[in-house]
Amino acid sequence: MPSQSPFQTHKDAVHLRGSGPVTAAIIMAPAGEKKGILERLDAGEIVIGDGGFVFALEKRGYVKAGPWTPEAAAEHPEAVRQLHREFLRAGSNGQQINEAACDLAREVANEGDALVAGGVSQTPSYLSCKSEDDVKAIFKKQLDVFVSKNVDFLIAEYFEHVEEAEWAVQVLKTTGKPVAATLCIGPEGDLNGVSPGECAVRLVKAGAQIVGVNCHFDPETCVKTVTLMKEGVEKAGLKAHYMSQPLAYHTPDCNCQGFIDLPEFPFSLEPRILTRWDMQKYAREAYAAGIRYIGGCCGFEPYHIRALSEELATERGFLPAGSEKHGNWGSGLEMHTKPWVRARARRDYWEKLKPASGRPFCPSMAKPDGWGVTKGHSDLMQQKEATSQEQLKALFDKANKDH
């Protein structure tokens, strides 16, 4: 029989996550104790985040790749609700959603005892060199939605330039609610070359109590980047909590702009997906680095979140409900009919395994496109009309020339 876990499963954890101009989240507190996010982190508790909502919904046929706008909350609420519950069952207690899904967030959160958060992300206006006042006005308009919904805390996430993230934090702080801020950067820093340590210091000084990274890079890179942020904050004599929500893809070949420059983005990334055992390694390394808000972004599915929860079950004191059907380190294979499969029911087998891709003519790494454009470049300027065929042809020609 499979070995029994010493932990009780825990069903009261929720996380809703999105991507785009407006997002929101749910953080779960233990039943009967509705602690705030800072109260939990101050006490040393671990918050498990959710996965990449729009990537997961795109694969399920509810979100269009490209715009990545999460209108599914309004058009297909049952699909969004189900994915929320899958992340909940996997052990997530920190989720993000879009404006239309705020009521869904409350509904799912009320199934447990959760906290709801709202978030904003980088804007095309900043990349088009609009003024600080113009960019802040966009954040303020988005913020009004979350204030009206009375969310419990706020997140400024997915920023490539720390300056814009600072502006977002300054706007979010006007509510008096706790603020988290994450950049989509690697160890090289933001796209203006500001180091991770300096980025973190600036975010904390702007008013963020939780800082870290999300998206664009794999777990190993993100943990390294947050470690640099933590060192910078401590060197400056400041205090903060730290969070990490990386990709579920291996990205050792990324440049400073992350996975969006990889030729496989976004429709052929599957060969890069981390296994559940990779995720357990990530959870342990993040915890050892002093990160206490540990989650994921694009590519993360509920089973990845379950792996984070299982790896940190001792520290948290419970397993997620999803572990009821998942033997610890493959222990359920003890019941398999084939003896060579039963021989895999052990931790050292899965920890040492080097998974094959089954693709004999494929390279292990790719060459990023890296066109090297960022804020102020003509290619990033906003236009009201759709991209014309002439404009697309110019892009196709440039891509073909580079390759």
Side-chain angles (χ1 to χ4, degrees):
M1 294 295 291
S3 58
Q4 298 298 310
S5 167
F7 303 103
Q8 297 296 315
T9 55
H10 191 284
K11 299 180 180 179
D12 294 334
V14 183
H15 190 142
L16 325 172
R17 171 169 180 63
S19 175
V22 183
T23 58
I26 296 178
I27 297 293
M28 177 61 211
E33 284 186 43
K34 196 165 183 181
K35 297 179 182 178
I37 182 65
L38 294 180
E39 188 178 2
R40 296 193 69 189
L41 293 172
D42 286 342
E45 296 181 26
I46 301 168
V47 173
I48 297 294
D50 65 351
F53 233 72
V54 292
F55 258 52
L57 288 171
E58 189 276 333
K59 289 179 173 64
R60 289 159 170 77
Y62 298 107
V63 166
K64 187 174 184 179
W68 301 112
T69 51
E71 65 274 5
E75 297 176 352
H76 302 282
E78 73 289 346
V80 178
R81 186 181 295 110
Q82 175 61 25
L83 189 53
H84 288 336
R85 286 185 175 135
E86 289 179 24
F87 280 122
L88 162 64
R89 182 172 173 80
S92 167
N93 58 347
Q95 301 184 21
Q96 295 172 298
I97 55 173
N98 64 23
E99 172 187 354
C102 276
D103 292 336
L104 278 178
R106 284 294 182 191
E107 176 188 339
V108 178
N110 288 340
E111 295 177 7
D113 184 25
L115 303 176
V116 178
V120 299
S121 301
Q122 66 181 8
T123 65
S125 292
Y126 180 81
L127 295 177
S128 297
C129 298
K130 295 295 181 65
S131 69
E132 178 179 346
D133 287 343
D134 288 341
V135 174
K136 283 186 172 180
I138 295 172
F139 293 140
K140 178 62 170 63
K141 182 177 181 180
Q142 296 168 353
L143 183 62
D144 289 342
V145 174
F146 298 122
V147 171
S148 69
K149 297 293 184 179
N150 194 30
V151 299
D152 298 295
F153 72 101
L154 298 160
I155 304 175
E157 70 160 3
Y158 195 84
F159 287 88
E160 295 173 308
H161 302 85
V162 68
E163 180 182 55
E164 187 183 15
E166 288 179 285
W167 295 351
V169 170
Q170 290 164 3
V171 172
L172 299 185
K173 285 298 292 183
T174 63
T175 65
K177 297 180 182 294
V179 174
T182 58
L183 305 175
C184 47
I185 66 172
E188 296 179 34
D190 81 349
L191 294 190
N192 285 330
V194 181
S195 71
E198 179 60 23
C199 285
V201 168
R202 289 172 61 171
L203 292 174
V204 173
K205 287 184 176 179
Q209 294 112 325
I210 309 166
V211 296
V213 297
N214 80 296
C215 204
H216 275 207
F217 297 94
D218 59 26
E220 182 178 354
T221 304
C222 286
V223 170
K224 180 179 179 180
T225 304
V226 178
T227 298
L228 293 172
M229 298 176 87
K230 185 171 182 287
E231 290 173 356
V233 170
E234 292 173 351
K235 185 176 180 180
L238 302 172
K239 292 184 179 181
H241 296 291
Y242 301 94
M243 65 188 295
S244 173
Q245 295 195 274
L247 301 172
Y249 307 110
H250 291 286
T251 62
D253 41 353
C254 277
N255 58 23
C256 65
Q257 198 151 298
F259 82 140
I260 59 174
D261 281 358
L262 293 176
E264 300 96 336
F265 176 88
F267 297 127
S268 295
L269 290 165
E270 284 82 0
R272 294 174 175 266
I273 292 177
L274 276 74
T275 69
R276 65 194 69 193
W277 317 120
D278 292 328
M279 289 301 178
Q280 293 206 203
K281 179 182 178 183
Y282 154 55
R284 181 55 53 194
E285 291 179 348
Y287 183 83
I291 301 169
R292 293 296 179 267
Y293 189 125
I294 304 171
C297 198
C298 301
F300 267 72
E301 292 283 345
Y303 77 94
H304 289 130
I305 297 301
R306 181 181 63 190
L308 305 184
S309 302
E310 290 180 344
E311 176 62 28
L312 298 172
T314 298
E315 289 78 8
R316 300 180 82 201
F318 60 87
L319 283 166
S323 293
E324 294 171 358
K325 299 293 185 180
H326 187 241
N328 189 37
W329 287 101
S331 62
L333 298 179
E334 295 171 6
M335 302 176 67
H336 201 279
T337 57
K338 303 295 189 292
W340 57 89
V341 177
R342 292 199 297 273
R344 300 169 188 163
R346 51 196 166 93
R347 177 171 183 160
D348 64 328
Y349 174 86
W350 296 109
E351 281 190 320
K352 295 176 181 178
L353 182 69
K354 304 295 183 185
S357 69
R359 298 173 178 268
F361 302 110
C362 289
S364 61
M365 294 191 286
K367 180 182 178 181
D369 286 329
W371 288 8
V373 301
T374 185
K375 178 189 177 184
H377 194 281
S378 59
D379 287 351
L380 297 179
M381 293 299 174
Q382 293 184 84
Q383 61 182 47
K384 294 182 179 179
E385 63 277 5
T387 304
S388 68
Q389 290 301 310
E390 184 178 353
Q391 289 173 318
L392 284 173
K393 183 179 183 304
L395 293 176
F396 297 158
D397 289 344
K398 177 175 173 58
N400 289 336
K401 182 180 179 181
D402 289 348
H403 288 169

